[in-house]
Structures are given as structure tokens and as C-alpha cells.
Amino acid sequence: MNGALFSFRRFWAVVVKEFMQLRRDRMTFAMIVAIPLVQTMLFGYAINNDPKHLPTAVVCSDGSPLARSLEASLINSGYFDVAGRMSEAEAARAFKEGRILFSVSIPSDFGRRVLRGERPEVLVEADGTDPTAASGALAALAGIAARAQARDFQGPLAHLAPRPAPYSFAVHRRYNPEGLTRYNIVPGLMGLILTLMTVMMTALAVTRERERGTMENLLASPLTPLEIMAGKILPYVAIGHIQMGIVLAAALFLFRIPFAGDPLVFYASSAVFMAANLTVGVTVSSIARNQLQALQMTIFYFLPNLMLSGFMFPFAGMPDWAQAIGCVLPLTHFNRIVRGVLLKGSGWPELWPELWPIALFAGIVLVLAVASFRRTLD
Amino acid sequence: MDACAHVIDVHGLTKRFGRRTVVDGVSLAVRRGEIYGFLGPNGSGKTTSIRLMCGLLTPDSGRGTCLGFDIMKESAEIKRRVGYMTQKFSFWEDLTVRENLDFTARVFGLPRRRQAVEEAIEGLGLQTRAGQLAGSLSGGWKQRLALAACMLHKPELLLLDEPTAGVDPAARRDFWEELHRLAAKGISVLVSTHYMDEAERCHKLAYIAYGKLLASGTAREIVEGQGLATMAVQGSGLQELHARLLRDARVEQAVMFGSSLHASARDAKALGEAVRGALSSGQTCTPAQTGLEDVFIFMMNASRDSFGVRP
């Protein structure tokens, strides 16, 4: 065969065609801009892992000043919004109906027993169906009892005041001193949006040709499979970069996420990450018979990325086998790279261990993509 | 050299998809400047055969050349020199006429691309619609665009897969006149079709059913090859006569053609007796020339019986 396996001219013909079609497809064009922008804004502002002002019921038949000051200190912590006093039965119903997340039961002789030094128990019930929502508030309880009632135990009651521990913990949250959720969410969204968009758009772009019967035209022409594939991918690499730019701009200027590291490291890593996703997109498009199947397969790939990459849930908390799956996914490593570059100011030496798994993934899937694309010819 | 006389010369082409043999030992020779008609019922393997010949599919067995290039090894060369028009409109409906032609010109690497595209648009008479999306064209115009696009790189051989399906009669006639003009210039055409009038416009024909080539040659050769005699019956109440003739073993085939009924069989004498014996009052019968359509229906039924395929 003396025909070149790759001709830039033919490849460029496909790229130009792809852009022309994109320009006509207003909806897709709008989505390219709207999805990263809207999602970053929406999730960046909406998601908070340390929720406060949680609806709480106080079940109390004790009128003592100590009970009242306990209630006040619950409110003052900022975590609990006391909806009012309720009977036990009312509180149980409110739990079921989802009106409250906490109930605090203060026993009827609370004040008296405290004064007697009996250390009465205050029962705090939490709605455990959403552990994340309750965890912050429950962690704050210890401090509430110790600190907020210090005022009550003065003078003759001083012996009731808790003794301070012989040492104390000084906690310092590195890279995110205020513990802001958006420092985690917004950089994480970058990889998530890129994964969804690049995989889906390449998968659809190729299956669309098959579904409409135009693929036969491409295959019957002098175009080689490599030219078709590369020509269809390049436009989405460009779009991926635009989308990344949008999310990055939103992160820096709207959410005031610091950019501590080297932009070059960031750019190079995201190019490798995009390449990995595009190979997945091409593989999907070779296997899927139509656009609907392509979409379903994209979601099938996207969900583990969402759940196991350490974006939604802490990576360290997953069992070993799940971590192993997570380690295969490019998004897991890309999330660490983005956090590393943006928040920690990491450079090549720190990020290389995260970059090569993405490159390896891209290489292996590329072989798979080319092999499955070839098979569709016959 | 053989390849000079024959633009397509293939022997024993076989293609299987899974356990199904779609094309079974097809041999075909098309001469330069010939319009070669490719006929057969739906799903008979016409499209697959055409794809095998232009290098889009690799045959499981068989050998042959297309424009002198080996269909097994030199499909890239073949693709560059052949114009292939797919059965379904396979240009981009969200691109304009000009953009579609321009893309094709780029892919084939035409020198003076813009000029070639403008000439094609003029040749089509599409100057006023060049900026229109291909998807908004009517069936006839789509087909003309597809033909113009696959002629853009001036191929020596056209492979046309049911090019006139869903096109109105006037556009079909124009299309065939264009094909004959091209053939006169020395371009060879292999065209698959379902229409008998189109089949009769071809220089040569091949009939394929269930993946097997059943007959090939000129229309006359094919008709004579089957040795069928035909009687045409006119009159009223032909439906009952049709049913009666189908039960008669001496009549091998009875087909309604609008206002007349064609009965055919290889034994002319027995056929004549059978038909005359079955006539009712008001019906007249005359010996008729066996047509291509009679022969094709006969071959299709015969092949169905011999391959044990249920109708």
C-alpha cells in the first residue's frame, strides 16, 4: 500500500467538517459553555460538607436555669436551630416526617441532678440517614457541654466545672485554613466536568456518523481510520480546553481559590487527562451501535468516576478493592493533581506519581480504541 | 493485460457474517465503459458484493481485481479511484451542498479544489441552492448531489447501490441519461436496482439471490438462458384464473401484471394446453415474449426452493 497512513490534509478536512457541524448545532454549542459555567456556579455555591442551622427539637420538662442555658448554648453553637420544645411523641413524629434532624432530650430533674454531681445524661438523637449532615454538629457537642456552661459553674458551684485536660490539641488545616468546602468542590468539578463532556461528546460524534449512515461515506473515501479518529477528536480537545478555562476562571475569580502552583504543570497534566478521556470516548463510540447506547455507556463510565475518585467521598475511607478501582480511573489522579497544583503548590516531583497512571491508562485504552475501531469496518 | 479490458474482475467472492453466508462464490467481470446492472431481491447480497469490490469489506475467500488493483491488498488504491454511492444518502445533512462537496474534494486531495467544487455545483444546476443544507433537499436532489460528490474526483468506475430508490420517474430518467453519457466517455458503472425498466437500460446484467449469482449476461441472454415460454391472458376475472393456474403443475409461474396475467413454464406446449383449458368466457390468451421480470421472478422462486429458504 503506497497511500500514506496519515495525511495531514485529509485529517484537517475532517477537523474542518466537524467544526462546521458544531457551528450549526446551536444546542451543543450552548452546552459547551453552559455546562461548565452553570455546574461550577451551582455546585460551588451549593455544596457544603459542614452544614449548620440544622432543625432540632428539644424534649424537656425541666424548667431549671441549667436546662435553659444548655438549650441556649446549643443554639449559640450555630449548628442547631431549635424548632421549639416538643413532647417525646411529637419529636418521634417530626423525625419521621423529616422536619428535624436532631432531638435533644433533657431529663426532667436535670438541674437538680447536675447540682448533686450525678452527671446526668442528655440524650441526643440524630437522623442517621444522612451521616454527613449530622457529623459536624455531633462533633461540636463535646465542646458545647464543656465551654458554654462554664458561666453557670462559678462560685459555690465551681467544683462542678469540668477540669481542663492536661494538654490540648492545636489543629491547623493546611492549604485550607478555614475548612471551606468549595476549596475541595470547585477544583474537583474541573475533572468531573471534563470527564463527562469529553467522553460523551467524542462518543456521540462518532456514533452519530454511524447512526446517520455517513460513516460508510467516510470509510469508502481515502480517509484512514486514524485520520477519521484523530480528526474527530481534535475539535473536542479544543473544546475541553475552553471548558477547563471556564471552570478555572470561575474558580479563581468567583470562588477565590488560590492558584499556588505552576500553570504549565497544570496545563500539561490536563492535556494528558483529556487524552485519556478521549480514548475512552472513542472506545465507547466503537462499541455502541447508536447514540443512546453511547450515552448509556458514558454514564456507566462516569458514575464510578463520580463516586470512587475521591471527589464525593473521601478516598481513604474506601475499602482496598474500591481504592484499587479508583486508582485505575484517571479522574482520581487528576483530582489529586488539581488540588496539588492549586492548593498545595506542588510541582513535577510531587505530581509525577499521579500523572503516569493517567498516561498509562490513556495508552492502554488507545490500543483498545484503535482495535475496536478497526473491527467496525468488517 | 486482463485488467485493461475488465474494470472489475472477481472470482468466487465469499463473505460471511457470523454463521450467515451473505455472498457465496460470486464471480463477475465488468468491461470498461459498460453499464452493468446488478439485480436481486432485498437482502440478496448486492450491497455486500459492492462493498467487497470497492475494498470497504474484506472477503473471506475469493480473489479479484478492481481497476487492476487487488481487492484484498490494495483497497486504498481502489478507494481513491472508485466513486461509491451508498444506498442510503450518506452525505451530511447538516452541511450545505457546497460544504459537502468541499469536504469530499479535500478528502480526495483534488488540485484546484474550489474550482472543482464550483464546477460540480454548476454541473448540477445547483448554483441557487449551493448554500442550502443537504438535509433540506428533496430525494431527487439529494441523489444528484451524491452522484456529483462521488464523481468529483473523476473516478474511472462508479459503484452505485440502488441510486434511484425513492426518486420520482422524471428524475430517474434524467439520472439514467447521465449514466449513459458517462459510459460513453469510458466510465464504467456497476449499478444495483430493483426496477425492470432500469435493468433493461443496462448493457449487461447479473442476477443474485441468497448470495449466489444465478445468471449474468445481456438481458436477452438471461431471458433465453431460462428457456421460459409465456402466455399472456387478458379479460375479466383474472384473480380466479390466477388461483386456478397456480394449482396446475404444468404452469410453473403465474404473475399478475396490472390488467394482464402472465403464465410461464419451460414446456411451451403443456403451458398452452393448461392456460387454454383454464380460460373462462371473456378471457383471451396470446403467446407473449418472456420478459426480464418473468425470468427474475422465476429465478427467485427456483432459488428459494433449491436453498430451502422459506418465503
Side-chain angles (χ1 to χ4, degrees):
Chain A
M1 204 197 295
N2 63 18
L5 261 180
F6 192 87
S7 133
F8 182 80
R9 178 176 45 76
R10 292 195 294 254
F11 154 77
W12 191 247
V14 179
V15 173
V16 170
K17 172 185 92 62
E18 213 59 27
F19 269 119
M20 280 181 188
Q21 289 181 294
L22 258 176
R23 203 188 51 198
R24 295 260 150 71
D25 190 355
R26 294 253 169 86
M27 188 65 186
T28 305
F29 212 68
M31 280 297 152
I32 289 167
V33 180
I35 286 185
L37 198 63
V38 171
Q39 304 226 346
T40 314
M41 303 279 275
L42 204 61
F43 299 139
Y45 284 118
I47 297 176
N48 181 6
N49 282 336
D50 188 20
K52 301 200 169 166
H53 303 289
L54 304 169
T56 305
V58 173
V59 180
C60 178
S61 42
D62 185 55
S64 71
L66 282 176
R68 256 178 288 138
S69 75
L70 172 61
E71 194 179 327
S73 61
L74 280 175
I75 297 169
N76 289 341
S77 74
Y79 281 101
F80 304 95
D81 265 6
V82 175
R85 295 205 166 190
M86 292 186 189
S87 73
E88 225 165 289
E90 280 169 343
R93 203 170 55 240
F95 259 128
K96 245 186 195 158
E97 291 168 3
R99 281 186 283 119
I100 55 170
L101 287 177
F102 295 96
S103 84
V104 180
S105 305
I106 303 173
S108 56
D109 46 358
F110 175 73
R112 205 156 21 116
R113 289 173 62 193
V114 169
L115 295 180
R116 282 200 212 129
E118 285 178 18
R119 302 180 56 82
E121 278 185 332
V122 176
L123 175 67
V124 178
E125 289 177 286
D127 184 343
T129 53
D130 185 354
T132 329
S135 63
L138 292 178
L141 279 175
I144 290 170
R147 218 173 327 111
Q149 296 206 309
R151 246 178 319 127
D152 296 330
F153 304 127
Q154 281 169 355
L157 299 177
H159 65 281
L160 290 169
R163 241 177 290 278
Y167 55 87
S168 65
F169 293 107
V171 178
H172 170 49
R173 298 173 204 255
R174 287 184 78 145
Y175 314 120
N176 184 6
E178 294 168 73
L180 298 173
T181 308
R182 65 170 194 262
Y183 273 38
N184 177 27
I185 295 291
V186 175
L189 276 174
M190 220 175 279
L192 200 68
I193 290 169
L194 278 183
T195 301
L196 181 62
M197 293 300 283
T198 45
V199 173
M200 184 173 71
M201 303 235 317
T202 25
L204 289 185
V206 181
T207 34
R208 188 160 50 225
E209 302 272 2
R210 194 163 302 134
E211 205 172 290
R212 294 184 184 168
T214 49
M215 186 56 104
E216 197 178 356
N217 201 332
L218 292 177
L219 295 177
S221 75
L223 285 165
T224 63
L226 193 64
E227 288 156 4
I228 298 175
M229 219 153 77
K232 294 208 71 96
I233 284 178
L234 185 78
Y236 298 102
V237 174
I239 288 168
H241 279 98
I242 295 172
Q243 294 183 319
M244 198 181 63
I246 293 173
V247 181
L248 191 63
L252 298 183
F253 301 115
L254 285 175
F255 294 99
R256 304 275 163 206
I257 311 282
F259 197 115
D262 183 352
L264 191 70
V265 174
F266 179 78
Y267 184 82
S269 316
S270 34
V272 176
F273 174 66
M274 256 182 256
N277 284 324
L278 291 166
T279 57
V280 174
V282 173
T283 311
V284 165
S285 70
S286 306
I287 300 169
R289 296 238 180 93
N290 51 48
Q291 295 192 65
L292 181 67
Q293 284 185 4
L295 258 184
Q296 288 169 335
M297 287 169 70
T298 304
I299 304 279
F300 181 78
Y301 173 73
F302 180 69
L303 282 179
N305 271 291
L306 180 68
M307 298 297 188
L308 303 182
S309 67
F311 168 73
M312 273 202 133
F313 308 107
F315 193 80
M318 300 193 305
D320 290 343
W321 59 267
Q323 290 196 8
I325 297 174
C327 277
V328 173
L329 301 172
L331 184 59
T332 305
H333 302 284
F334 186 66
N335 273 342
R336 294 178 193 160
I337 291 176
V338 173
R339 284 175 194 164
V341 175
L342 261 59
L343 304 177
K344 300 185 187 175
S346 312
W348 285 122
E350 297 88 4
L351 296 179
W352 175 243
E354 303 297 342
L355 191 58
W356 71 257
I358 304 181
L360 182 68
F361 179 93
I364 292 172
V365 181
L366 182 69
V367 173
L368 213 80
V370 172
S372 50
F373 190 79
R374 282 271 157 81
R375 210 171 314 127
T376 58
L377 303 184
D378 266 87
Chain B
M1 207 177 92
D2 196 31
C4 296
H6 291 116
V7 286
I8 296 179
D9 190 13
V10 294
H11 300 278
L13 286 191
T14 299
K15 180 74 186 174
R16 280 178 284 270
F17 291 123
R19 276 170 38 218
R20 217 160 52 89
T21 304
V22 180
V23 173
D24 194 355
V26 168
S27 301
L28 206 71
V30 179
R31 280 174 201 279
R32 190 168 296 279
E34 205 167 53
I35 298 184
Y36 203 103
F38 208 34
L39 290 102
N42 287 329
S44 57
K46 296 193 297 286
T47 299
T48 309
S49 300
I50 292 177
R51 287 179 181 170
L52 288 172
M53 287 181 248
C54 71
L56 204 54
L57 291 175
T58 318
D60 292 317
S61 64
R63 67 196 160 78
T65 57
C66 184
L67 296 170
F69 294 100
D70 191 318
I71 58 164
M72 304 288 264
K73 293 185 215 119
E74 295 171 305
S75 66
E77 296 294 336
I78 297 172
K79 283 179 187 175
R80 223 166 292 163
R81 288 171 175 80
V82 162
Y84 172 43
M85 185 169 156
T86 53
Q87 188 171 345
K88 195 178 161 240
F89 182 69
S90 66
F91 286 85
W92 290 268
E93 302 207 332
D94 50 354
L95 293 183
T96 64
V97 171
R98 181 177 280 115
E99 286 164 348
N100 268 305
L101 290 170
D102 192 61
F103 172 69
T104 311
R106 277 175 196 267
V107 164
F108 280 95
L110 296 192
R112 294 197 308 278
R113 194 184 82 232
R114 283 173 207 285
Q115 197 189 327
V117 169
E118 291 312 316
E119 278 170 14
I121 290 172
E122 260 174 59
L124 272 173
L126 268 176
Q127 293 96 321
T128 51
R129 296 173 182 225
Q132 199 175 322
L133 292 185
S136 66
L137 296 174
S138 69
W141 280 110
K142 275 184 185 168
Q143 171 240 31
R144 295 185 68 172
L145 166 62
L147 181 67
C150 74
M151 287 294 300
L152 205 56
H153 61 293
K154 308 213 166 13
E156 301 160 54
L157 169 67
L158 282 177
L159 299 172
L160 310 175
D161 194 359
E162 293 185 23
T164 54
V167 172
D168 68 54
R172 257 175 57 194
R173 195 190 53 225
D174 293 346
F175 183 78
W176 274 87
E177 278 168 10
E178 174 71 18
L179 284 192
H180 276 278
R181 268 197 297 278
L182 293 172
K185 284 188 217 161
I187 293 170
S188 323
V189 181
L190 177 73
V191 53
S192 75
T193 180
H194 281 302
Y195 298 110
M196 286 307 129
D197 60 318
E198 292 186 352
E200 274 155 9
R201 284 165 174 258
C202 296
H203 299 126
K204 272 197 186 159
L205 297 170
Y207 188 82
I208 183 174
Y210 307 107
K212 287 194 194 331
L213 192 74
L214 299 179
S216 64
T218 61
R220 172 186 275 189
E221 281 165 5
I222 290 179
V223 171
E224 285 172 358
Q226 296 298 318
L228 277 186
T230 300
M231 302 283 282
V233 184
Q234 266 97 21
S236 55
L238 291 180
Q239 287 293 351
E240 293 152 51
L241 178 66
H242 184 225
R244 235 174 306 153
L245 289 178
L246 281 178
R247 284 194 296 271
D248 194 325
R250 289 171 296 178
V251 178
E252 290 177 79
Q253 175 172 300
V255 185
M256 295 289 302
F257 281 95
S259 62
S260 71
L261 173 73
H262 280 199
S264 309
R266 275 166 294 197
D267 186 340
K269 200 158 155 266
L271 175 73
E273 287 165 10
V275 174
R276 269 187 285 272
L279 288 185
S280 346
S281 63
Q283 292 173 335
T284 56
C285 80
T286 45
Q289 186 115 42
T290 305
L292 263 182
E293 190 152 11
D294 299 304
V295 172
F296 286 145
I297 294 170
F298 181 75
M299 282 194 283
M300 194 175 78
N301 290 335
S303 65
R304 184 190 294 151
D305 296 342
S306 62
F307 300 135
V309 184
R310 274 167 296 148

